[in-house]
Amino acid sequence: LKMIPTASQHLLARGLGGIDLNKKRDPDNPKKIPEGLGLVVGAGFLICIIVFELFNQDRSYMPQIHTALLAICFMLLLGFADDVLVFRWRSKIAMSLVAAIPLACYYGGPTAVMVPFQLRPWFGKVLELGYFYKLYVGAFAVFCTNGINIYAGINGLEVSQSMVVGGSIVIHAVYQICRGNFVPQNRFAFFMCVPFVFCSGALFHYNKFPSRVFVGDSFTYMAGMTIGAVASLAHITKTVMLFMAPQILNFLLSLPQLLGLPRFLHGIVPVEFRTCPRHRLPKLNEETGKLEATKNLNLINFTLWLFGPMTEKQLLHLLTAMHIVWCGVAFAIRFWLAGFFYEKVR
Protein backbone atom coordinates (compact mmCIF):
# COMPACT_ATOMS: atom_id res chain seq x y z
CA LEU A 1 0.00 0.00 0.00
CA LYS A 2 2.86 2.40 0.76
CA MET A 3 4.97 1.50 -2.27
CA ILE A 4 2.28 2.31 -4.83
CA PRO A 5 1.87 6.09 -4.15
CA THR A 6 5.65 6.60 -4.11
CA ALA A 7 6.20 4.61 -7.29
CA SER A 8 3.30 6.33 -9.03
CA GLN A 9 4.93 9.73 -8.60
CA HIS A 10 8.23 8.46 -10.01
CA LEU A 11 6.50 6.88 -13.01
CA LEU A 12 4.49 10.04 -13.70
CA ALA A 13 7.66 12.14 -13.47
CA ARG A 14 9.20 9.89 -16.14
CA GLY A 15 6.23 10.53 -18.43
CA LEU A 16 4.48 7.21 -17.86
CA GLY A 17 0.90 8.36 -17.44
CA GLY A 18 -2.43 8.27 -19.22
CA ILE A 19 -5.80 10.02 -19.41
CA ASP A 20 -8.94 8.44 -17.97
CA LEU A 21 -11.15 8.41 -21.06
CA ASN A 22 -14.34 7.64 -19.12
CA LYS A 23 -14.25 10.85 -17.08
CA LYS A 24 -15.09 14.47 -17.75
CA ARG A 25 -11.85 16.34 -18.44
CA ASP A 26 -10.49 19.72 -19.39
CA PRO A 27 -9.48 19.42 -23.08
CA ASP A 28 -6.86 22.14 -22.63
CA ASN A 29 -5.24 20.62 -19.51
CA PRO A 30 -6.18 16.95 -19.13
CA LYS A 31 -5.13 15.31 -15.87
CA LYS A 32 -2.67 12.46 -16.28
CA ILE A 33 -2.88 9.39 -14.08
CA PRO A 34 0.25 7.32 -13.32
CA GLU A 35 0.39 4.13 -15.39
CA GLY A 36 2.28 0.85 -15.15
CA LEU A 37 1.79 0.27 -11.41
CA GLY A 38 1.48 -3.44 -12.10
CA LEU A 39 5.29 -3.46 -12.09
CA VAL A 40 5.32 -2.55 -8.39
CA VAL A 41 2.67 -5.12 -7.46
CA GLY A 42 4.37 -7.78 -9.55
CA ALA A 43 7.70 -7.10 -7.84
CA GLY A 44 6.02 -7.27 -4.42
CA PHE A 45 4.34 -10.54 -5.34
CA LEU A 46 7.60 -12.11 -6.52
CA ILE A 47 9.37 -10.98 -3.33
CA CYS A 48 6.62 -12.64 -1.24
CA ILE A 49 7.15 -15.94 -3.08
CA ILE A 50 10.94 -15.76 -2.71
CA VAL A 51 10.70 -15.01 1.03
CA PHE A 52 8.26 -17.90 1.38
CA GLU A 53 10.85 -20.20 -0.21
CA LEU A 54 13.42 -19.20 2.43
CA PHE A 55 11.26 -20.49 5.28
CA ASN A 56 9.46 -23.34 3.57
CA GLN A 57 10.75 -26.78 4.56
CA ASP A 58 8.58 -28.68 2.09
CA ARG A 59 10.61 -28.90 -1.11
CA SER A 60 8.19 -31.17 -3.00
CA TYR A 61 6.72 -28.38 -5.14
CA MET A 62 9.73 -26.04 -5.40
CA PRO A 63 10.35 -26.95 -9.08
CA GLN A 64 6.78 -25.85 -9.92
CA ILE A 65 7.34 -22.54 -8.14
CA HIS A 66 10.61 -21.88 -9.98
CA THR A 67 9.03 -22.69 -13.34
CA ALA A 68 6.08 -20.41 -12.59
CA LEU A 69 8.37 -17.59 -11.45
CA LEU A 70 10.35 -17.80 -14.71
CA ALA A 71 7.20 -17.43 -16.81
CA ILE A 72 5.74 -14.70 -14.56
CA CYS A 73 8.96 -12.65 -14.57
CA PHE A 74 9.08 -12.77 -18.36
CA MET A 75 5.48 -11.59 -18.68
CA LEU A 76 5.99 -8.83 -16.10
CA LEU A 77 8.92 -7.55 -18.15
CA LEU A 78 6.92 -7.82 -21.38
CA GLY A 79 3.97 -5.99 -19.84
CA PHE A 80 6.08 -3.08 -18.63
CA ALA A 81 7.84 -2.90 -22.00
CA ASP A 82 4.40 -2.75 -23.65
CA ASP A 83 3.38 0.09 -21.32
CA VAL A 84 6.40 2.05 -22.54
CA LEU A 85 6.74 0.97 -26.19
CA VAL A 86 3.17 -0.10 -27.14
CA PHE A 87 3.61 -3.38 -29.04
CA ARG A 88 1.33 -4.71 -31.76
CA TRP A 89 -1.06 -7.53 -30.93
CA ARG A 90 0.88 -10.07 -32.99
CA SER A 91 4.05 -9.23 -31.05
CA LYS A 92 2.27 -9.61 -27.71
CA ILE A 93 0.94 -13.05 -28.61
CA ALA A 94 4.32 -14.20 -29.94
CA MET A 95 6.07 -13.13 -26.73
CA SER A 96 3.35 -14.75 -24.63
CA LEU A 97 4.08 -18.01 -26.46
CA VAL A 98 7.77 -17.70 -25.60
CA ALA A 99 6.93 -17.10 -21.93
CA ALA A 100 4.70 -20.20 -21.91
CA ILE A 101 7.48 -22.49 -23.16
CA PRO A 102 8.87 -23.21 -19.63
CA LEU A 103 5.39 -24.33 -18.51
CA ALA A 104 5.00 -26.71 -21.44
CA CYS A 105 8.56 -28.04 -21.07
CA TYR A 106 8.40 -28.63 -17.31
CA TYR A 107 4.89 -30.06 -17.25
CA GLY A 108 5.29 -33.65 -16.09
CA GLY A 109 1.73 -34.55 -15.25
CA PRO A 110 -0.59 -36.87 -17.16
CA THR A 111 -1.09 -36.15 -20.84
CA ALA A 112 -4.22 -38.31 -21.13
CA VAL A 113 -7.75 -37.06 -20.52
CA MET A 114 -10.78 -38.91 -19.24
CA VAL A 115 -13.53 -39.09 -21.84
CA PRO A 116 -17.13 -38.39 -20.70
CA PHE A 117 -19.56 -41.31 -20.66
CA GLN A 118 -21.45 -39.97 -23.65
CA LEU A 119 -18.38 -39.97 -25.96
CA ARG A 120 -16.75 -43.25 -24.95
CA PRO A 121 -18.32 -45.32 -27.74
CA TRP A 122 -16.19 -43.30 -30.19
CA PHE A 123 -13.06 -42.36 -28.20
CA GLY A 124 -12.78 -44.91 -25.43
CA LYS A 125 -12.43 -44.27 -21.70
CA VAL A 126 -9.05 -42.51 -21.86
CA LEU A 127 -7.67 -40.38 -24.71
CA GLU A 128 -3.89 -40.03 -24.83
CA LEU A 129 -2.87 -36.63 -26.24
CA GLY A 130 0.90 -36.79 -25.71
CA TYR A 131 2.68 -33.66 -26.89
CA PHE A 132 -0.61 -32.13 -27.96
CA TYR A 133 -1.47 -31.80 -24.27
CA LYS A 134 1.72 -29.80 -23.70
CA LEU A 135 0.73 -27.55 -26.58
CA TYR A 136 -2.61 -27.14 -24.85
CA VAL A 137 -0.82 -26.13 -21.61
CA GLY A 138 1.13 -23.42 -23.44
CA ALA A 139 -1.94 -22.20 -25.33
CA PHE A 140 -3.93 -22.06 -22.09
CA ALA A 141 -1.31 -19.81 -20.46
CA VAL A 142 -1.36 -17.52 -23.50
CA PHE A 143 -5.15 -17.30 -23.32
CA CYS A 144 -5.12 -16.45 -19.60
CA THR A 145 -2.61 -13.67 -20.21
CA ASN A 146 -4.43 -12.05 -23.10
CA GLY A 147 -7.91 -12.90 -21.81
CA ILE A 148 -7.44 -10.67 -18.78
CA ASN A 149 -5.68 -8.01 -20.85
CA ILE A 150 -8.59 -7.52 -23.28
CA TYR A 151 -11.31 -7.69 -20.60
CA ALA A 152 -10.62 -4.14 -19.47
CA GLY A 153 -11.76 -0.58 -19.98
CA ILE A 154 -13.19 0.65 -16.66
CA ASN A 155 -11.51 1.44 -13.37
CA GLY A 156 -10.72 -1.61 -11.27
CA LEU A 157 -11.94 -4.31 -13.65
CA GLU A 158 -8.54 -5.83 -14.49
CA VAL A 159 -7.68 -6.22 -10.81
CA SER A 160 -11.12 -7.33 -9.60
CA GLN A 161 -11.41 -10.15 -12.15
CA SER A 162 -7.90 -11.34 -11.25
CA MET A 163 -8.77 -11.35 -7.55
CA VAL A 164 -11.99 -13.29 -8.18
CA VAL A 165 -10.21 -16.00 -10.18
CA GLY A 166 -7.23 -16.10 -7.79
CA GLY A 167 -9.53 -16.25 -4.77
CA SER A 168 -11.52 -19.07 -6.38
CA ILE A 169 -8.30 -21.05 -6.89
CA VAL A 170 -7.46 -20.57 -3.20
CA ILE A 171 -10.92 -21.78 -2.14
CA HIS A 172 -10.60 -24.77 -4.47
CA ALA A 173 -7.18 -25.66 -3.02
CA VAL A 174 -8.41 -25.34 0.58
CA TYR A 175 -11.47 -27.46 -0.17
CA GLN A 176 -9.36 -30.17 -1.77
CA ILE A 177 -6.91 -30.18 1.16
CA CYS A 178 -9.81 -30.42 3.63
CA ARG A 179 -11.09 -33.42 1.67
CA GLY A 180 -7.75 -35.14 2.29
CA ASN A 181 -6.05 -34.29 -1.01
CA PHE A 182 -2.94 -32.87 0.67
CA VAL A 183 -0.89 -33.28 -2.49
CA PRO A 184 1.90 -30.94 -3.70
CA GLN A 185 -0.30 -29.55 -6.50
CA ASN A 186 -2.93 -28.20 -4.09
CA ARG A 187 -0.32 -26.77 -1.73
CA PHE A 188 1.45 -25.13 -4.68
CA ALA A 189 -1.80 -23.50 -5.88
CA PHE A 190 -2.57 -22.24 -2.36
CA PHE A 191 0.86 -20.73 -1.66
CA MET A 192 1.06 -19.06 -5.09
CA CYS A 193 -2.41 -17.52 -5.12
CA VAL A 194 -2.72 -16.25 -1.52
CA PRO A 195 0.04 -13.59 -1.90
CA PHE A 196 -1.21 -12.87 -5.43
CA VAL A 197 -4.70 -12.02 -4.16
CA PHE A 198 -3.40 -9.84 -1.30
CA CYS A 199 -0.94 -7.94 -3.52
CA SER A 200 -3.69 -7.41 -6.08
CA GLY A 201 -5.96 -6.14 -3.31
CA ALA A 202 -3.46 -3.39 -2.52
CA LEU A 203 -3.49 -2.30 -6.16
CA PHE A 204 -7.30 -2.45 -6.29
CA HIS A 205 -7.42 0.06 -3.41
CA TYR A 206 -5.85 2.66 -5.72
CA ASN A 207 -7.25 1.47 -9.05
CA LYS A 208 -10.94 1.21 -8.13
CA PHE A 209 -13.30 4.02 -9.14
CA PRO A 210 -12.22 6.82 -9.21
CA SER A 211 -8.85 5.48 -10.24
CA ARG A 212 -5.74 7.12 -8.80
CA VAL A 213 -3.39 4.83 -10.74
CA PHE A 214 -3.59 2.68 -13.87
CA VAL A 215 -2.41 -0.92 -13.63
CA GLY A 216 -0.98 -1.08 -17.15
CA ASP A 217 -0.25 -4.19 -19.18
CA SER A 218 2.45 -5.07 -16.65
CA PHE A 219 -0.28 -6.19 -14.23
CA THR A 220 -2.64 -7.86 -16.70
CA TYR A 221 0.15 -9.95 -18.22
CA MET A 222 1.60 -10.84 -14.83
CA ALA A 223 -1.82 -11.74 -13.43
CA GLY A 224 -2.78 -13.81 -16.47
CA MET A 225 0.48 -15.76 -16.46
CA THR A 226 0.20 -16.35 -12.70
CA ILE A 227 -3.25 -17.87 -13.15
CA GLY A 228 -2.17 -19.82 -16.23
CA ALA A 229 0.99 -21.16 -14.56
CA VAL A 230 -0.84 -22.20 -11.40
CA ALA A 231 -3.62 -23.88 -13.37
CA SER A 232 -1.19 -25.78 -15.60
CA LEU A 233 1.31 -26.90 -12.96
CA ALA A 234 -1.41 -27.74 -10.40
CA HIS A 235 -3.32 -29.75 -13.05
CA ILE A 236 -6.54 -27.73 -12.68
CA THR A 237 -6.83 -26.14 -16.13
CA LYS A 238 -10.41 -27.33 -16.67
CA THR A 239 -11.48 -25.95 -13.29
CA VAL A 240 -9.80 -22.57 -13.90
CA MET A 241 -11.38 -22.47 -17.35
CA LEU A 242 -14.75 -22.61 -15.60
CA PHE A 243 -13.72 -19.72 -13.34
CA MET A 244 -12.68 -17.71 -16.43
CA ALA A 245 -15.96 -18.06 -18.31
CA PRO A 246 -16.44 -14.23 -18.42
CA GLN A 247 -13.02 -13.88 -20.07
CA ILE A 248 -13.92 -16.61 -22.57
CA LEU A 249 -17.23 -14.90 -23.39
CA ASN A 250 -15.49 -11.54 -23.76
CA PHE A 251 -12.91 -13.13 -26.08
CA LEU A 252 -15.61 -14.69 -28.27
CA LEU A 253 -17.50 -11.40 -28.47
CA SER A 254 -14.27 -9.59 -29.36
CA LEU A 255 -13.11 -11.96 -32.11
CA PRO A 256 -14.57 -9.99 -35.08
CA GLN A 257 -12.63 -6.89 -34.03
CA LEU A 258 -9.49 -8.71 -32.87
CA LEU A 259 -9.14 -10.58 -36.15
CA GLY A 260 -10.20 -7.67 -38.34
CA LEU A 261 -12.03 -8.00 -41.63
CA PRO A 262 -10.69 -8.30 -45.19
CA ARG A 263 -10.34 -5.02 -47.04
CA PHE A 264 -13.03 -5.89 -49.60
CA LEU A 265 -15.60 -5.84 -46.75
CA HIS A 266 -14.57 -2.45 -45.37
CA GLY A 267 -17.07 -0.59 -47.50
CA ILE A 268 -20.11 -2.42 -46.14
CA VAL A 269 -19.36 -2.60 -42.41
CA PRO A 270 -19.07 0.09 -39.70
CA VAL A 271 -15.62 1.57 -39.20
CA GLU A 272 -15.37 -0.07 -35.75
CA PHE A 273 -15.08 -3.51 -37.35
CA ARG A 274 -12.48 -2.67 -39.97
CA THR A 275 -9.60 -2.56 -37.50
CA CYS A 276 -9.21 -3.21 -33.81
CA PRO A 277 -8.82 0.03 -31.81
CA ARG A 278 -6.46 0.01 -28.83
CA HIS A 279 -9.23 1.10 -26.45
CA ARG A 280 -12.65 -0.48 -27.07
CA LEU A 281 -14.48 1.55 -24.46
CA PRO A 282 -18.10 2.48 -23.78
CA LYS A 283 -19.14 6.12 -24.26
CA LEU A 284 -19.51 8.60 -21.42
CA ASN A 285 -22.68 10.70 -21.46
CA GLU A 286 -21.39 13.89 -19.81
CA GLU A 287 -24.90 15.12 -19.02
CA THR A 288 -25.95 12.04 -17.03
CA GLY A 289 -22.47 10.92 -15.96
CA LYS A 290 -23.33 7.38 -17.11
CA LEU A 291 -21.59 5.05 -19.53
CA GLU A 292 -23.47 3.98 -22.64
CA ALA A 293 -22.83 1.03 -24.95
CA THR A 294 -20.93 1.56 -28.20
CA LYS A 295 -20.55 -0.67 -31.26
CA ASN A 296 -17.30 -2.11 -29.90
CA LEU A 297 -17.78 -5.80 -29.27
CA ASN A 298 -16.89 -6.86 -25.73
CA LEU A 299 -18.57 -7.95 -22.53
CA ILE A 300 -18.58 -4.43 -21.07
CA ASN A 301 -20.62 -3.00 -23.93
CA PHE A 302 -22.82 -6.10 -24.05
CA THR A 303 -23.63 -5.62 -20.33
CA LEU A 304 -24.49 -1.96 -20.91
CA TRP A 305 -26.68 -2.93 -23.87
CA LEU A 306 -28.42 -5.55 -21.73
CA PHE A 307 -28.94 -3.55 -18.52
CA GLY A 308 -28.87 0.01 -19.85
CA PRO A 309 -26.59 2.98 -19.08
CA MET A 310 -25.00 3.11 -15.61
CA THR A 311 -22.15 4.82 -13.83
CA GLU A 312 -18.66 3.38 -14.05
CA LYS A 313 -18.76 2.38 -10.39
CA GLN A 314 -22.10 0.60 -10.79
CA LEU A 315 -20.79 -1.22 -13.87
CA LEU A 316 -17.70 -2.43 -12.01
CA HIS A 317 -19.80 -3.69 -9.11
CA LEU A 318 -22.21 -5.47 -11.47
CA LEU A 319 -19.50 -7.19 -13.52
CA THR A 320 -17.61 -8.25 -10.39
CA ALA A 321 -20.76 -9.52 -8.68
CA MET A 322 -21.74 -11.54 -11.75
CA HIS A 323 -18.23 -13.03 -11.88
CA ILE A 324 -18.41 -14.04 -8.19
CA VAL A 325 -21.83 -15.61 -8.66
CA TRP A 326 -20.61 -17.47 -11.71
CA CYS A 327 -17.61 -18.87 -9.79
CA GLY A 328 -20.10 -20.24 -7.25
CA VAL A 329 -21.92 -21.93 -10.14
CA ALA A 330 -18.55 -23.19 -11.44
CA PHE A 331 -17.91 -24.96 -8.12
CA ALA A 332 -21.29 -26.66 -8.42
CA ILE A 333 -20.43 -27.77 -11.96
CA ARG A 334 -16.99 -28.95 -10.86
CA PHE A 335 -18.07 -31.07 -7.89
CA TRP A 336 -21.70 -31.99 -8.65
CA LEU A 337 -22.62 -31.76 -12.32
CA ALA A 338 -19.36 -33.45 -13.36
CA GLY A 339 -20.72 -36.64 -11.78
CA PHE A 340 -23.11 -36.96 -14.73
CA PHE A 341 -20.12 -37.24 -17.12
CA TYR A 342 -17.47 -39.11 -15.08
CA GLU A 343 -17.69 -42.01 -12.63
CA LYS A 344 -15.37 -40.37 -10.09
CA VAL A 345 -14.97 -36.65 -9.35
CA ARG A 346 -11.84 -35.72 -7.42
Side-chain angles (χ1 to χ4, degrees), residues 238-239 242-243 245 325-342 345:
K238 288 185 289 187
T239 301
L242 282 174
F243 296 152
V325 171
W326 167 253
C327 285
V329 175
F331 275 108
I333 295 173
R334 168 67 177 82
F335 291 105
W336 176 70
L337 191 61
F340 291 94
F341 300 95
Y342 304 96
V345 179

Side-chain angles (χ1 to χ4, degrees), residues 33-245:
I33 296 176
E35 191 170 5
L37 271 299
L39 179 68
V40 178
V41 175
F45 167 60
L46 295 175
I47 290 172
C48 288
I49 299 298
I50 293 170
V51 171
F52 161 73
E53 285 192 89
L54 293 175
F55 298 97
N56 179 41
Q57 300 300 318
D58 184 1
R59 318 305 293 180
S60 61
Y61 50 90
M62 286 300 105
Q64 289 98 318
I65 289 182
H66 294 157
T67 304
L69 288 181
L70 177 60
I72 294 168
C73 285
F74 189 96
M75 290 310 299
L76 184 62
L77 174 62
L78 169 62
F80 188 70
D82 187 32
D83 289 333
V84 177
L85 302 175
V86 188
F87 296 136
R88 292 183 177 181
W89 274 107
R90 67 187 69 175
S91 301
K92 298 178 185 181
I93 294 176
M95 293 181 182
S96 301
L97 285 169
V98 174
I101 289 176
L103 301 179
C105 291
Y106 174 79
Y107 180 81
T111 56
V113 296
M114 294 292 295
V115 178
F117 295 135
Q118 295 79 0
L119 300 178
R120 288 180 184 178
W122 296 278
F123 299 102
K125 184 177 180 180
V126 178
L127 183 63
E128 176 61 51
L129 298 178
Y131 283 105
F132 288 103
Y133 193 89
K134 292 199 172 189
L135 291 175
Y136 159 73
V137 168
F140 180 78
V142 172
F143 167 76
C144 290
T145 301
N146 291 281
I148 289 180
N149 187 48
I150 65 173
Y151 186 32
I154 61 173
N155 293 165
L157 183 59
E158 299 98 321
V159 188
S160 67
Q161 63 177 300
S162 302
M163 292 175 64
V164 171
V165 176
S168 298
I169 294 175
V170 172
I171 294 171
H172 177 268
V174 171
Y175 179 66
Q176 292 285 45
I177 291 171
C178 292
R179 295 174 70 201
N181 295 325
F182 197 69
V183 294
Q185 293 90 337
N186 290 327
R187 301 199 299 275
F188 162 72
F190 178 82
F191 288 117
M192 285 291 293
C193 284
V194 166
F196 170 72
V197 171
F198 277 99
C199 290
S200 299
L203 182 58
F204 183 74
H205 176 73
Y206 293 98
N207 182 241
K208 65 183 180 181
F209 181 90
S211 179
R212 288 171 279 176
V213 301
F214 287 152
V215 301
D217 288 341
S218 51
F219 175 80
T220 57
Y221 288 169
M222 181 275 296
M225 185 54 74
T226 299
I227 292 169
V230 170
S232 300
L233 299 177
H235 308 159
I236 54 171
T237 52
K238 288 185 289 187
T239 301
V240 173
M241 198 176 295
L242 282 174
F243 296 152
M244 296 189 69

